[in-house]
Amino acid sequence: MDQVRYKTQSVDGVNIFYREAGDPSRPTIVLLHGFPSSSHMFRDLIPELSGHYHIIAADMPGFGYSDQPPAERFDYTFDHIADVMDHFLDAVSVKKYSIYIQDYGSPIGFRLFLKHPDRIQAMVTQNGNAYEEGLSPFWSESIIPYWEDKSPANEKRVRDLLTFEVTKFQYTKGFSHPEYVSPDSYTFDQMTLDRPGNDVIQLALFYDYQNNVKQYSLWHDALRKNKPPVLAVWGKNDPIFLPAGAEAFKRDVPAAEIYFVDSGHFALEEASRTIADYILAFLAKNVK
């Protein structure tokens, strides 16, 4: 059962590709990927966890191997994608689970948490932001101006984030051992970004990200009310989400465990074993 199975599930008219490993009778961990990645980012983590847990890692619509409906036929907002992922989990009979959230996976995971707090057994955040202090200057320099004014100049700044140079930057900046990063990671991500029509999808999601920030207070309220076990294990050199974003979880969940690894945004590329060890120790204490 530890062997990774590669599957597709039709949900709301969209084919969702996912990786599954581990025995379904064991507690489930749902791995939620970030931009511009997919479930491919978990390829090294899944074998570390699947001997102990049931693992589900799906590609969101418009990412990886999942369908990419045209933007005129699919509402590319975090609300809608969270609905699709919620329906996906229902379709694959996952009713209770822990979540691993990274980057875009955070706003998706928190929306699932708001909908079904009783289903979320624990939360692992790896550079999955939920606090304004976690937003680095990257946001004010590249994204926030686009929220305020969709001018051609501001759109160009956002479009520049879809280039190979920036994709590779996310996989190398702040890494202690960039030579550990397989070029397959950023090359595969770039291939999906370069698909016809994907730029429109990513622009829509960059613009909608402002609604995640507006929801932060709701997420904080839900954390305080439901008190899920929280583990934050972050690449401390992330140029996109700052370490303060990890520390901030203690405000709402004082028992949250916070750890840092000497890495960047996609810390799994060079620290998957270390991160897996933190997760296994944390879940052993908190999920039965």
Side-chain angles (χ1 to χ4, degrees):
M1 297 296 289
D2 296 349
Q3 180 69 37
V4 179
R5 286 92 72 189
Y6 303 94
K7 300 181 177 182
T8 301
Q9 176 67 49
S10 179
V11 183
D12 299 346
V14 179
N15 290 315
I16 298 296
F17 171 85
Y18 67 105
R19 301 165 198 248
E20 181 176 15
D23 186 343
S25 69
R26 293 172 175 162
T28 297
I29 308 173
V30 174
L31 308 177
L32 297 169
H33 69 80
F35 165 86
S37 194
S38 64
S39 61
H40 182 256
M41 69 172 280
F42 300 115
R43 66 197 180 281
D44 294 328
L45 182 66
I46 291 172
E48 299 283 351
L49 302 178
S50 60
H52 305 270
Y53 296 94
H54 174 227
I55 310 299
I56 295 285
D59 295 353
M60 298 175 200
F63 293 83
Y65 292 116
S66 288
D67 281 354
Q68 178 190 291
E72 60 268 20
R73 291 198 284 108
F74 187 94
D75 186 19
Y76 284 97
T77 64
F78 287 91
D79 280 347
H80 188 204
I81 291 177
D83 285 342
V84 173
M85 301 312 292
D86 186 31
H87 299 160
F88 162 77
L89 292 172
D90 284 341
V92 298
S93 301
V94 171
K95 297 296 186 183
K96 212 164 189 66
Y97 51 93
S98 300
I99 52 173
Y100 180 117
I101 54 177
Q102 196 270 347
D103 191 85
Y104 277 12
S106 180
I108 300 303
F110 268 101
R111 281 169 170 80
L112 295 175
F113 180 51
L114 290 179
K115 278 188 171 188
H116 309 293
D118 55 314
R119 295 187 183 183
I120 308 295
Q121 295 178 290
M123 185 179 296
V124 177
T125 170
Q126 184 258 296
N127 300 77
N129 194 58
Y131 295 87
E132 288 196 34
E133 51 262 62
L135 300 174
S136 77
F138 161 87
W139 292 88
S140 59
E141 294 167 1
S142 301
I143 307 294
I144 293 175
Y146 186 60
W147 298 346
E148 297 170 344
D149 179 12
K150 283 187 172 182
S151 69
N154 289 337
E155 180 178 316
K156 182 182 183 305
R157 283 190 213 173
V158 176
R159 283 186 175 275
D160 286 346
L161 302 178
L162 307 179
T163 62
F164 177 79
E165 291 74 21
V166 174
T167 300
K168 185 176 179 180
F169 166 84
Q170 293 185 71
Y171 280 92
T172 52
K173 179 67 174 178
F175 282 64
S176 57
H177 294 285
E179 70 274 14
Y180 291 174
V181 179
S182 169
D184 296 346
S185 57
Y186 48 82
T187 301
F188 178 66
D189 285 2
Q190 193 61 42
M191 286 172 60
T192 63
L193 285 175
D194 288 342
R195 288 180 295 181
N198 196 266
D199 58 336
V200 178
I201 290 169
Q202 302 307 334
L203 285 173
L205 289 172
F206 278 132
Y207 187 74
D208 188 59
Y209 200 95
Q210 62 186 295
N211 291 314
N212 299 330
V213 179
K214 292 173 184 176
Q215 280 199 12
Y216 281 175
S217 62
L218 296 177
W219 303 355
H220 305 160
D221 290 345
L223 288 171
R224 290 193 298 273
K225 178 181 178 181
N226 296 285
K227 300 179 177 60
V230 172
L231 166 67
V233 51
W234 282 34
K236 67 179 182 180
N237 310 316
D238 187 353
I240 299 169
F241 295 123
L242 301 172
E247 297 283 5
F249 278 91
K250 277 190 168 292
R251 275 211 307 271
D252 298 307
V253 184
E257 297 184 28
I258 315 293
Y259 302 99
F260 295 100
V261 294
D262 189 14
S263 190
H265 189 64
F266 288 110
L268 287 176
E269 294 296 319
E270 63 175 348
S272 61
R273 176 68 60 84
T274 300
I275 291 172
D277 287 345
Y278 282 128
I279 293 170
L280 291 172
F282 168 73
L283 292 182
K285 293 181 291 186
N286 293 288
V287 175
K288 305 299 180 186

